[in-house]
């Protein structure tokens, strides 16, 4: 009887350890992927920041409305 109880406890402890290890691994994987995505978009973020400083781009953004095409604006 004692051996059966010990066996059940061992199974429960090992199961819990496996669940925790799996969750930790998933968390580390998702953090690694998050960093990779951030590295991927970094050059595009720089380009957008540089474009935001351009006066022509600022003018287009302030003179056009949502859904309006720039070819129908007289200035462009």
């Amino acid at each position: 009887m004692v051996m059966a109880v010990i066996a059940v406890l061992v199974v429960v402890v090992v199961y819990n350890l496996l669940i925790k290890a799996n969750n930790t691994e998933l968390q580390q994987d998702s953090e690694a992927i998050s960093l990779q995505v951030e590295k991927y978009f970094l050059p595009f973020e720089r380009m957008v920041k540089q474009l935001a400083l351009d006066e022509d781009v600022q003018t287009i953004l302030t003179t056009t409305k949502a859904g309006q095409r720039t070819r129908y604006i007289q200035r462009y």
Side-chain angles (χ1 to χ4, degrees):
M1 181 74 165
V2 173
M3 293 297 274
V5 171
I6 291 174
V8 169
L9 286 175
V10 167
V11 168
V12 169
V13 168
V14 169
Y15 178 75
N16 285 336
L17 287 174
L18 288 174
I19 294 289
K20 286 181 184 178
N22 191 24
N23 287 342
T24 302
E25 183 180 359
L26 287 173
Q27 183 179 2
Q28 290 174 345
D29 288 347
S30 66
E31 288 174 3
I33 290 171
S34 171
L35 291 174
Q36 289 175 353
V37 167
E38 186 176 326
K39 282 183 181 179
Y40 177 78
F41 283 109
L42 193 60
F44 300 108
E45 186 177 334
R46 281 192 214 124
M47 282 188 269
V48 169
K49 286 180 181 178
Q50 289 173 351
L51 283 173
L53 297 175
D54 188 0
E55 289 181 25
D56 288 333
V57 173
Q58 290 178 2
T59 304
I60 289 173
L61 291 174
T62 56
T63 57
T64 58
K65 298 176 183 163
Q68 188 177 16
R69 296 184 181 182
T70 55
R71 65 178 161 185
Y72 296 125
I73 295 178
Q74 292 176 0
R75 184 171 182 177
Y76 294 98

